Amino acid sequence: MSRRPSALDLPAPPPELAAISQRLGERIGTIIERDGPLPFERYMAMALYEPGLGYYMNGLHKFGSAGDFVTAPEQGRLFAIAVARQVDEVAARLADPWTVLELGAGSGALARDLLSALQNPPARYRILEPSAALREVQRATLADLPAGLGDRVEWIAAPPSEPFDGLILANEVMDALPVARFEIGPDGPMERCVAVRGDRLGWTVTAPRKRLGEALSTLRERLGYRLPEGYVSEVCLDLGGWLDTVSRPLRRGALLLVDYGYPRAEYYLPERSAGTLVCHYRHRAHFDPFVWPGLTDLSAFVDFSACAEAGTASGLELAGFTTQADFLLGMRIHELIDEADDEASRMRLAGEFKRLVMPGEMGEKFKVMAFTRGLTEPLVGLAESDRRQAL
Ligand SMILES: C[S@@+](CC[C@H](N)C(=O)[O-])C[C@H]1O[C@@H](n2cnc3c(N)ncnc32)[C@H](O)[C@@H]1O
């Protein structure tokens, strides 16, 4: 049985890519026929991470303007320079040797530009990247680094088991963690699952799994109101486990998480009734996760209140929460525009700055959350604008 995508007005992929998507769709369809409706969380995990076929695993993912979306480090060097200033500031308080652990490094642009911009590069720059295909892309990107820097980089497939001092960085990783979807029905919350509908995949609802049911009860308590009937949204059930696992080896230092998201009260506003799940296919955002599985990025906004609670429960100290705009301004990247050597560079930097900082672009939608362990002083990039009270 073929698993044709729904007919959204999107450009069709070439036949060899469509065939990969079809194979993934068939694999998902076979599981549904065997086991019944698939929780959306499992569908999203397969659509992104199924070995050889998922969006991040099939080696087809293109970065930057040739791909499906552009992240902050791929806009240019300003974002990496800002992060480098924060890393230098924290590293000055740590004893040598210290380490940077970057989670989910994508194209490797942040690693390359950060290592080049650091005044005091770490002894080791470790990249935790689950995708073998992306590890190869990152190796190629980092091949440009001079030997003294390039040979500090190493790849790991699981969080390090030995404790280390340093910084953990994750840009746009949490939005790629699979989420459970729910819908408020007439008799209470239901779980949105994936079913086979003729030769297509589509939505169905079932009683929520125990874990989701418990998470939704806690959510209702914390919100202090009932979400209205028909409301659809997401919960990342694995956020706490993920954060705990990746942060456990951090003995002393900081964790910097950058992503799009909201504090809980804003995430679950009654009027945000269609949730935050978004699909990206060749620079077009849409809301049908069943179109071209494996060729489409699926992501959901981050509930930063849940993230703050999870980090604190893992013994980290919540050191700051602000917008990307305020973080970048706090790191004074605007001064780099005036320091440019020529007019063409000045114009390019001004354009990049605008995309990173303007409220209608990435500036307000993206947030920066920092945790620390064993540090007493605040982090410079988050000291000026503190939005923790909104969490
Ligand atoms: C949207 S991309 C962001 C890439 C990069 N950080 C950037 O800003 O351009 C998401 C990245 O997270 C990785 N990823 C997904 N799940 C992960 C996990 N559980 N741990 C670490 N990385 C993960 C993906 O393979 C991919 O490299």
Side-chain angles (χ1 to χ4, degrees):
M1 196 191 305
S2 74
R3 305 279 173 229
R4 282 195 299 116
S6 76
L8 278 182
D9 180 23
L10 294 169
E16 62 279 15
L17 304 196
I20 288 181
S21 180
Q22 180 129 342
R23 272 178 55 209
L24 179 58
E26 280 170 1
R27 193 171 290 180
I28 293 168
T30 306
I31 292 175
I32 295 171
E33 276 156 354
R34 191 191 62 205
D35 300 341
L38 194 64
F40 178 73
E41 186 184 45
R42 279 198 59 209
Y43 171 81
M44 182 165 168
M46 287 186 78
L48 296 181
Y49 304 112
E50 181 68 4
L53 295 174
Y55 181 74
Y56 286 115
M57 310 303 265
N58 59 25
L60 301 171
H61 182 67
K62 302 252 184 326
F63 287 92
S65 52
D68 302 296
F69 56 86
V70 181
T71 62
E74 289 161 3
Q75 309 270 355
R77 297 184 59 232
L78 288 181
F79 181 81
I81 291 173
V83 176
R85 289 179 174 178
Q86 183 65 82
V87 171
D88 271 325
E89 191 252 335
V90 171
R93 312 185 211 173
L94 301 173
D96 280 332
W98 57 280
T99 297
V100 169
L101 170 61
E102 184 182 350
L103 310 172
S107 67
L110 178 62
R112 178 196 59 205
D113 295 339
L114 180 63
L115 276 164
S116 309
L118 282 169
Q119 284 178 1
N120 167 26
R124 280 202 302 190
Y125 193 105
R126 307 186 99 181
I127 295 180
L128 170 56
E129 174 54 67
S131 162
L134 290 186
R135 287 199 288 271
E136 286 316 306
V137 174
Q138 292 154 15
R139 271 196 186 94
T141 304
L142 291 162
D144 296 344
L145 283 174
L149 286 179
D151 48 22
R152 299 177 193 218
V153 183
E154 60 189 44
W155 281 264
I156 49 177
S161 46
E162 69 281 13
F164 69 91
D165 293 351
L167 288 104
I168 302 177
L169 310 174
N171 185 59
E172 285 203 47
V173 179
M174 292 187 293
D175 68 69
L177 299 177
V179 288
R181 272 207 123 189
F182 66 90
E183 174 179 325
I184 306 297
D187 301 319
M190 300 293 283
E191 178 154 12
R192 278 207 156 197
C193 293
V194 183
V196 174
R197 304 233 169 279
D199 60 359
R200 295 209 166 113
L201 298 171
W203 292 112
T204 189
V205 288
T206 64
R209 286 168 296 152
K210 188 164 177 277
R211 240 184 118 201
L212 176 59
E214 287 166 1
L216 292 175
S217 302
T218 308
L219 175 62
R220 210 199 121 197
E221 265 167 43
R222 303 233 158 110
L223 285 174
Y225 57 84
R226 237 178 235 281
L227 292 167
E229 191 178 330
Y231 192 91
V232 175
S233 193
E234 298 80 32
V235 178
C236 185
L237 297 174
D238 285 336
L239 182 65
W242 175 80
L243 201 53
D244 188 58
T245 308
V246 295
S247 66
R248 201 172 302 149
L250 183 70
R251 192 170 40 207
R252 194 155 178 269
L255 187 95
L256 212 57
L257 305 168
V258 185
D259 225 309
Y260 37 95
Y262 311 109
R264 180 180 291 123
E266 212 181 328
Y267 195 107
Y268 297 104
L269 275 176
E271 50 270 38
R272 203 184 301 287
S273 58
T276 71
L277 180 71
V278 63
C279 316
H280 283 99
Y281 175 75
R282 302 216 209 154
H283 292 280
R284 300 216 203 161
H286 67 86
F287 304 100
D288 183 346
F290 308 121
V291 174
W292 305 118
L295 308 181
T296 302
D297 177 48
L298 308 181
S299 65
F301 280 52
V302 175
D303 172 352
F304 274 105
S305 304
C307 187
E309 286 159 8
T312 311
S314 295
L316 297 162
E317 205 150 314
L318 179 64
F321 175 61
T322 192
T323 60
Q324 174 168 298
D326 281 351
F327 172 70
L328 296 180
L329 292 169
M331 302 313 305
R332 315 203 72 74
I333 56 160
H334 45 289
E335 292 169 358
L336 295 168
I337 304 172
D338 295 331
E339 291 165 16
D341 294 337
D342 52 61
E343 189 54 16
S345 314
R346 209 183 69 77
M347 296 292 283
R348 190 180 41 72
L349 288 176
E352 186 188 337
F353 176 77
K354 216 173 122 193
R355 288 191 294 281
L356 294 173
V357 166
M358 292 297 278
E361 304 244 7
M362 301 175 88
E364 300 272 310
K365 181 168 116 174
F366 282 73
K367 312 291 192 305
V368 179
M369 180 165 272
F371 293 101
T372 52
R373 188 173 273 153
L375 301 182
T376 45
E377 297 298 308
L379 304 189
V380 281
L382 297 124
E384 277 179 34
S385 151
D386 184 355
R387 302 195 184 207
R388 278 177 292 182
Q389 76 292 347
L391 292 166

